[in-house]
């Protein structure tokens, strides 16, 4: 099925434009990784940000461990990776949202007494100031979210929007 | 176990070559994210591309929502992220392939009446014109793939191959 | 909740510094993807590296398929993606560690006779010479890890640390 498909690669490193592809300037480092310091249960804060309170990385200070919000410091293409693991219990559905709109969703398990990990991974375009956070979408009586690196939330900037003139 | 392991970092930004590591020119933006607008069932199209018809991002226009194929617009290193969630049912195995060869595979569940999400995540080298798509690998009578951001497919270019001369 | 949040984007491509964000020089290509050539069982090597012996990509030669160790060839921000799938069995917990310290963890299933895939995905800062590997954290009598692209391990360099002077 291949054929006459493809764009012309750039001529050099300083900015000849690509047909149909916006090129990126040098990418600043923006990234965070946070986990949960104690297993969560009794999750009745539907709609409120789920706080990953143990911060392992926060380059660019986009992530706020008090609020659980990531605020995009620059506009660009971002990678979002979240894993939610249950802890001998049913697991809640946890979603990641951008300014309140769902980007991806986990579905760890609806069976009791089952451990399981479930991913919410997505590549998104964020504008400077956009907010990204996780929240519980639906829950069951015995919901638990496991600590100890079994539940993780990471975001990284892949490429930044910007002027292509030099 | 560390020791004399490591390559010498580049001297500046304009191209002193790395020993043992190909360096990349400025990276164009190529990325897509697509989801499924309605929960799928009765999946009997083994071998045919699984179409993620709801396109949220398609920078570089590599993804075709009619065919379900991603066509690499440039050669380079790509990140592939797919999540398949079942919907109160057994889940099919879904694989991601490059030109027909399997890159990674999900295995959501073989238990009835179980929700589960399963990942297929991989970093690959694609040549310009390579085709990447998802397909059902094996299935069960009640297979369902859940819509609503529970099943997602994203690809992004991490770095582009190209001339290192300046 | 947005507001006066954001850093000033860079003025051009050659290095005006960002407030609060370290900028990156040109990123060399470092990436590997490896899988398991034969389904593993009888996993009693807790603490020892889990060897993904089938190498599909190894740009920069950071991954050693004899030892199962990835040795970071340069300091920078890295993406780690691992998926562990069980094979009609309970699944072991598998963790990814940096120099012995846990970065993320999978929890495929504690139910017998269940297929499941579980992710361990994280963004980390590595120093040149840091070692990253997977290991079994806890296990059950019938543990099996599935081959054939159902269990994958990938790492890629997202951006390299380096001099910001020009």
């Amino acid at each position: 099925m291949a054929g006459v498909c493809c764009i012309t690669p750039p001529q050099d490193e300083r900015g000849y434009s690509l047909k149909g592809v916006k090129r990126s300037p040098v990418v600043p480092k923006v990234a965070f990784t946070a986990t949960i310091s104690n297993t969560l249960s009794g999750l009745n804060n539907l709609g409120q940000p789920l706080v990953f309170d143990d911060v392992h990385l926060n380059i660019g200070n986009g992530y706020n461990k008090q609020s659980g919000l990531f605020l995009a410091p620059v506009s660009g293409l971002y990678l979002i990776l979240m894993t939610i693991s249950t802890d001998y219990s049913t697991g809640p559905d946890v979603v990641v949202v951008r300014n309140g709109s769902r980007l991806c969703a986990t579905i760890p398990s609806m069976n009791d007494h089952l451990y399981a990990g479930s991913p919410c991974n997505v590549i998104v375009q964020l504008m400077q100031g956009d907010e990204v956070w996780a929240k519980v979408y639906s829950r069951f009586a015995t919901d638990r979210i496991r600590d100890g690196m079994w539940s993780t939330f990471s975001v990284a900037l892949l490429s930044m929007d910007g002027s292509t003139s030099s």
Side-chain angles (χ1 to χ4, degrees), chain A residues 14-84:
Chain A
R14 272 176 298 277
Y16 288 79
S17 59
L18 288 166
K19 274 184 188 159
V21 175
K22 287 160 62 187
R23 55 180 296 286
S24 312
V26 167
V27 182
K29 285 178 79 171
V30 177
F32 83 89
T33 291
T35 59
I36 291 168
S37 59
N38 292 292
T39 291
L40 301 175
S41 61
L43 301 161
N44 50 15
N45 60 342
L46 271 66
Q48 295 303 306
L50 186 64
V51 177
F52 292 74
D53 63 325
D54 194 2
V55 177
H56 303 272
L57 181 76
N58 198 8
I59 301 170
N61 290 310
Y63 183 69
N64 182 324
K65 73 173 183 177
Q66 269 75 44
S67 67
L69 299 182
F70 171 73
L71 202 63
V74 295
S75 298
L77 195 66
Y78 285 79
L79 166 63
I80 296 174
L81 301 172
M82 189 183 67
T83 300
I84 297 292

Side-chain angles (χ1 to χ4, degrees), chain A residues 36-159:
Chain A
I36 291 168
S37 59
N38 292 292
T39 291
L40 301 175
S41 61
L43 301 161
N44 50 15
N45 60 342
L46 271 66
Q48 295 303 306
L50 186 64
V51 177
F52 292 74
D53 63 325
D54 194 2
V55 177
H56 303 272
L57 181 76
N58 198 8
I59 301 170
N61 290 310
Y63 183 69
N64 182 324
K65 73 173 183 177
Q66 269 75 44
S67 67
L69 299 182
F70 171 73
L71 202 63
V74 295
S75 298
L77 195 66
Y78 285 79
L79 166 63
I80 296 174
L81 301 172
M82 189 183 67
T83 300
I84 297 292
S85 293
T86 63
D87 182 16
Y88 202 64
S89 66
T90 56
D93 285 12
V94 177
V95 298
V96 173
V97 296
R98 170 182 49 197
N99 303 332
S101 297
R102 205 184 308 159
L103 294 171
C104 59
T106 66
I107 187 164
S109 170
M110 68 163 293
N111 271 24
D112 228 357
H113 307 308
L114 181 72
Y115 292 100
S118 183
C120 178
N121 302 327
V122 75
I123 292 157
V124 296
Q125 177 71 26
L126 299 181
M127 302 302 291
Q128 190 184 45
D130 275 357
E131 291 170 320
V132 172
W133 71 92
K135 65 177 181 181
V136 175
Y137 175 78
S138 63
R139 61 179 292 273
F140 303 93
T142 61
D143 276 348
R144 289 167 64 90
I145 297 180
R146 191 174 178 183
D147 64 6
M149 307 297 191
W150 268 266
S151 300
T152 58
F153 189 20
S154 289
V155 172
L157 177 65
L158 293 180
S159 64

